[in-house]
Amino acid sequence: MLNFSRRPAEPATVSTPSVPDSRRRPWARRLRITGIVAAAAVGLTLVSTGANLALEGAERSSITPYGERIEISAGSLNVYQSGTVGPAIVLLSGLGTAAPALDFAPLIRALGNRKVIVVEGFGYGYSDMTAPARTVENITTELHEALTGLHVPAPYVLAGHSISGFYTLAYANRYPEELSAVIGIDPTVSAGKLGAPSVGTSTGSHGGIPWSRIPSVTGLVRWVDSIAPSLAEPAGDAFTASERERLRLMSSWNFYNPALTDETLEMGNNARKLQGLRYPDGLPVLDFLAQDTIDSDPDWQKAHETQLQNVQQHKIVVLKGGHYLHWTQSTVIAKTITDFLARNN
């Protein structure tokens, strides 16, 4: 007998539209892209770092260092000397100057046969790149040790650019009997606005990972200087081609090394220590101020006048140009120095 009973109907299947994988998991795609970009960046950084280290090694081995190394208690300093006619003029550079002896080259030439000594502090030129804390006390002690070791006859003239205005002031108060005069080239003062470069109030954080060296180690400073040489090379036409090239190279070698980084962090502390300090009354002081700095800081000239108001023999000379006056006004500076020293010694 045929069974005509109906089979139970199977449940209907509901069709679900397929969702593209790219819509279901957009984060996965972004993660893959990020990973590829990060890997490429790491790879390029490693290649750049390796190339930079190789180039720097070749440059250092092919270029003969200038000056002479002198040992003091804290390490080894590089010193450059020129001329024979005294008393000696001791030159101190501004903050971050890669190669002080080269930086002052136009002024040294303009001074002719005058005895000139450039003391490159720790973190500068061919001196050691590590040092004790960059306090004004340590820096002036190291300078005194170096000049004593060189047997520089006293009294000598101490001349400082920019932040070295701190150190010439401290040195003049610690060793006044050893100086015949002080010269400032747009020097930083600790009164009023603190000038060029501006001085912060950071108490500093010493040690730790040297993050500030990364642009130099990875080659970033080198490549930037190659693309825009004006960032590392001095203004004006008083430098030779070889001096410009060497300054550019050494700006990459020495960029924010440990000693320089520490000095930068100590600027605020050093400024506070010198607040209100004056030069000795009887010590002649000559300051050259840059018109560009005065234009950008209305209190700049007044701060220097205040600092020198007790000094019996002082002179402030305003020159047209930027903060690095010795790049563009070396001839005028040299003549003014010679005349000032002749009148006041």
Side-chain angles (χ1 to χ4, degrees):
M1 182 175 176
L2 296 176
N3 184 0
F4 292 100
S5 60
R6 302 177 63 181
R7 295 178 58 188
E10 294 183 1
T13 301
V14 179
S15 176
T16 304
S18 62
V19 179
D21 186 65
S22 60
R23 289 179 57 189
R24 288 205 311 264
R25 296 188 299 172
W27 58 269
R29 187 177 183 182
R30 289 196 294 268
L31 186 61
R32 284 196 299 271
I33 294 173
T34 302
I36 292 171
V37 172
V42 170
L44 287 173
T45 300
L46 292 175
V47 171
S48 177
T49 299
N52 178 64
L53 293 176
L55 287 170
E56 183 173 324
E59 292 159 357
R60 287 182 179 274
S61 63
S62 64
I63 299 176
T64 303
Y66 56 75
E68 60 181 306
R69 303 268 286 188
I70 180 170
E71 295 296 327
I72 62 173
S73 58
S76 180
L77 294 178
N78 191 60
V79 178
Y80 176 83
Q81 301 188 63
S82 174
T84 58
V85 179
I89 298 176
V90 180
L91 294 174
L92 307 177
S93 72
L95 183 73
T97 300
L102 295 178
D103 185 77
F104 283 120
L107 179 57
I108 294 172
R109 283 193 285 268
L111 286 166
N113 201 34
R114 185 85 190 214
K115 180 68 175 178
V116 176
I117 302 172
V118 182
V119 179
E120 298 185 328
F122 289 119
Y124 294 82
Y126 283 103
S127 295
D128 289 350
M129 296 292 114
T130 58
R134 299 292 75 207
T135 63
V136 67
E137 296 87 355
N138 284 345
I139 290 173
T140 52
T141 295
E142 292 155 7
L143 175 59
H144 187 257
E145 283 188 44
L147 296 177
T148 301
L150 291 169
H151 306 290
V152 178
Y156 43 83
V157 179
L158 193 59
H161 171 236
S162 193
I163 195 62
S164 285
F166 278 8
Y167 312 138
T168 58
L169 176 62
Y171 197 95
N173 279 273
R174 293 186 69 182
Y175 311 104
E177 70 285 352
E178 299 194 14
L179 298 181
S180 59
V182 168
I183 298 165
I185 303 175
D186 219 27
T188 307
V189 294
S190 58
K193 287 190 177 181
L194 296 172
S198 61
V199 178
T201 58
S202 170
T203 58
S205 177
H206 311 291
I209 299 174
W211 298 109
S212 58
R213 284 289 291 161
I214 291 177
S216 175
V217 174
T218 60
L220 179 60
V221 175
R222 177 186 298 277
W223 314 136
V224 170
D225 288 347
S226 297
I227 297 171
S230 60
L231 294 176
E233 294 182 14
D237 57 2
F239 289 85
T240 66
S242 61
E243 287 168 347
R244 289 179 176 279
E245 172 67 8
R246 202 167 195 182
L247 282 166
R248 186 179 64 80
L249 294 176
M250 294 185 73
S251 70
S252 174
W253 300 353
N254 295 343
F255 182 86
Y256 269 91
N257 56 77
L260 175 57
T261 300
D262 192 69
E263 183 180 0
T264 304
L265 293 170
E266 284 287 354
M267 287 172 64
N269 289 336
N270 289 334
R272 283 187 289 274
K273 293 174 184 177
L274 298 172
Q275 196 75 38
L277 191 65
R278 305 284 180 84
Y279 283 102
D281 296 354
L283 180 66
V285 180
L286 169 64
D287 273 353
F288 296 97
L289 302 185
Q291 185 63 58
D292 288 2
T293 309
I294 293 173
D295 292 343
S296 64
D297 182 356
D299 295 329
W300 186 240
Q301 184 169 353
K302 179 62 177 178
H304 288 81
E305 292 171 349
T306 300
Q307 186 184 64
L308 299 180
Q309 63 186 4
N310 68 296
V311 178
Q312 298 164 8
Q313 299 168 299
H314 76 266
K315 184 176 183 180
I316 294 177
V317 178
V318 178
L319 296 178
K320 180 180 179 180
H323 186 50
Y324 285 78
L325 287 171
H326 51 286
W327 291 356
T328 57
Q329 296 278 12
S330 56
T331 301
V332 175
I333 291 174
K335 184 180 186 307
T336 306
I337 289 174
T338 300
D339 294 344
F340 181 81
L341 296 179
R343 287 196 306 269
N344 292 290
N345 285 277

